[in-house]
Amino acid sequence: MIKISELRSDFPILSQKFNSKPLVYFDNAATTQKPKAVIERIVKYYSEENANVHRGVYKLSTIATDCYENSREVIREFINAQKTCEIIFTRGTTESINLVATSLYFSGILQENDEIIISEMEHHANIVPWQICCKNLKIKVLPFDGNGILQVEKLESLISTKTKLIAVTNASNTFGIINPIEQIIQIAKKHNILTLVDGAQIVPHHKVDMQKLDSDFFVFSGHKIYAPTGIGILYGKEEILNQMQPYHGGGEMIDKVTFEKTTFNSLPHKFEAGTPNISGAIALAEAIKYLEENHFPKLIEYEENLTKYLQNRLSEIDDIVIYGNSLDKLPVFSFNIKGIHHYDLGTLLDSQGIAVRTGNHCTQTIMQHFGIPGTLRVSLSFYNTTQEIDFFIKKLKTDIELLRG
Ligand SMILES: *Cc1c(COP(=O)(O)O)cnc(C)c1O
């Protein structure tokens, strides 16, 4: 059995008050809170280990370099990638996708008039980079049905000889539904098409396995898995990364520089120009260690029970419309109450210390599908409790009554 009260005491912010009320933090799909171990690891790095990496021969620099490179290995093991050089540090999911899009175009792997397929439920981070990288790239969209379930049976009909890549989220940050990503990758492989999986939402709630998944690219953000902002991961298969041009130029990513020509460093450094977010990388490894020391599979099981509990309690609410209905869900629920603006409800909940998300959740194409301006979104972590859910449901009911007048 895991002890949630003990886990909660690892997260200093959870004992803070906001609007004079204890914090009920239900916006974990936007970012997660950080355990003391992660916060203290950053302090330790700057107090005892700080130097630039891969630069000096002096002792302190080798300590910093070892910490940074060991973190890469921790992350490789966590996602079961085959090789450490397949782990590239970036600023987050957004930068990882921009890196892949731009670099595939620079390398001629993506060309004008090529096609890619994304899904209708992508985060803006998996739409806009493809529109920017190449002017005449044709983006085809795999639709979802009224329940938010991807219509994978339509995928084959979208594929043509010009299709170069399929980029789909493993789980939607708005619906919380886990997509049949293995099936999508299988179809892509059959047609020799590259795949990119947006893992930002799945990684904090599920064990992922790169060798099993067999996607060419997989991306996620540190801050959604209990690490700081400003650090993220691009996993790419060595073979494809080796064919790709660097995304940024500068120090660290080079082999030999002259004014006429520059040759590039080997993987993973080729894609890490400039001084990286060293403390962020180290703190990300620490966050992963924290999850593992606290029996990640048990935390996942607890979250699955919380998900079912919240799903049941939400179904008690009159006039609720939930966007994304499936049994295979992360603890992420988007909904509206008929006749009430989500923003008004969100504001009332905030006054009671309950932090929920309002708006379009960086998925305007989902809002367009349903013809709505936005939703409320509740997203949980293992540090949330059924008591918090009960308190939230109670307040939700009285706030709805209040707004109905
Ligand atoms: C949060 C999120 C992103 C963007 O992540 P950043 O950390 O803002 O770069 C992309 N996709 C999904 C599914 C997300 O949840």
Side-chain angles (χ1 to χ4, degrees), residues 291-356:
L291 290 177
E292 284 174 341
E293 279 165 12
N294 286 289
H295 311 288
F296 192 36
K298 287 236 156 50
L299 301 180
I300 294 170
E301 200 185 306
Y302 172 80
E303 285 182 347
E304 286 169 351
N305 290 331
L306 270 190
T307 306
K308 284 189 202 113
Y309 188 79
L310 176 60
Q311 194 153 26
N312 283 334
R313 295 250 33 208
L314 281 175
S315 67
E316 287 171 18
I317 307 284
D318 289 334
D319 291 335
I320 192 169
V321 182
I322 297 178
Y323 304 96
N325 293 292
S326 163
L327 292 175
D328 209 4
K329 251 178 98 108
L330 300 180
V332 177
F333 291 85
S334 289
F335 60 92
N336 273 319
I337 309 295
K338 282 183 195 144
I340 292 179
H341 199 280
H342 62 279
Y343 187 75
D344 294 334
L345 258 182
T347 308
L348 277 178
L349 289 166
D350 171 55
S351 70
Q352 289 136 353
I354 303 169
V356 300

Side-chain angles (χ1 to χ4, degrees), residues 28 103 105 155 167 287 291 340 386:
N28 293 285
S103 172
Y105 181 64
L155 182 57
L291 290 177
I340 292 179
T386 54

Side-chain angles (χ1 to χ4, degrees), residues 44-111:
K44 179 178 158 67
Y45 171 73
Y46 283 116
S47 309
E48 300 172 17
E49 300 157 340
N50 176 53
N52 211 328
V53 290
H54 306 132
R55 302 290 202 282
V57 290
Y58 57 91
K59 181 72 184 165
L60 190 55
S61 171
T62 59
I63 290 174
T65 303
D66 286 349
C67 289
Y68 182 69
E69 289 304 328
N70 287 341
S71 299
R72 199 188 303 274
E73 173 56 21
V74 169
I75 291 146
R76 182 205 66 74
E77 206 181 320
F78 181 63
I79 64 172
N80 196 30
Q82 198 179 4
K83 295 175 179 166
T84 313
C85 71
E86 296 176 322
I87 307 296
I88 316 283
F89 286 118
T90 65
R91 276 168 47 218
T93 304
T94 303
E95 190 184 36
S96 297
I97 299 175
N98 277 280
L99 189 163
V100 173
T102 309
S103 172
L104 286 178
Y105 181 64
F106 283 172
S107 319
I109 299 170
L110 267 186
Q111 297 178 0

Side-chain angles (χ1 to χ4, degrees), residues 29-31 91-97 121-126 169-174 198-202 219-224 230-231 361-363 377:
T31 199
R91 276 168 47 218
T93 304
T94 303
E95 190 184 36
S96 297
I97 299 175
M121 65 174 80
E122 294 310 311
H123 188 284
H124 297 160
N126 198 22
T169 191
N170 204 321
S172 154
N173 61 304
T174 297
D198 177 348
Q201 290 297 327
I202 199 83
V219 299
F220 63 98
S221 296
H223 71 98
K224 291 188 179 174
I231 189 76
H361 324 302
C362 299
T363 54
R377 184 184 67 189

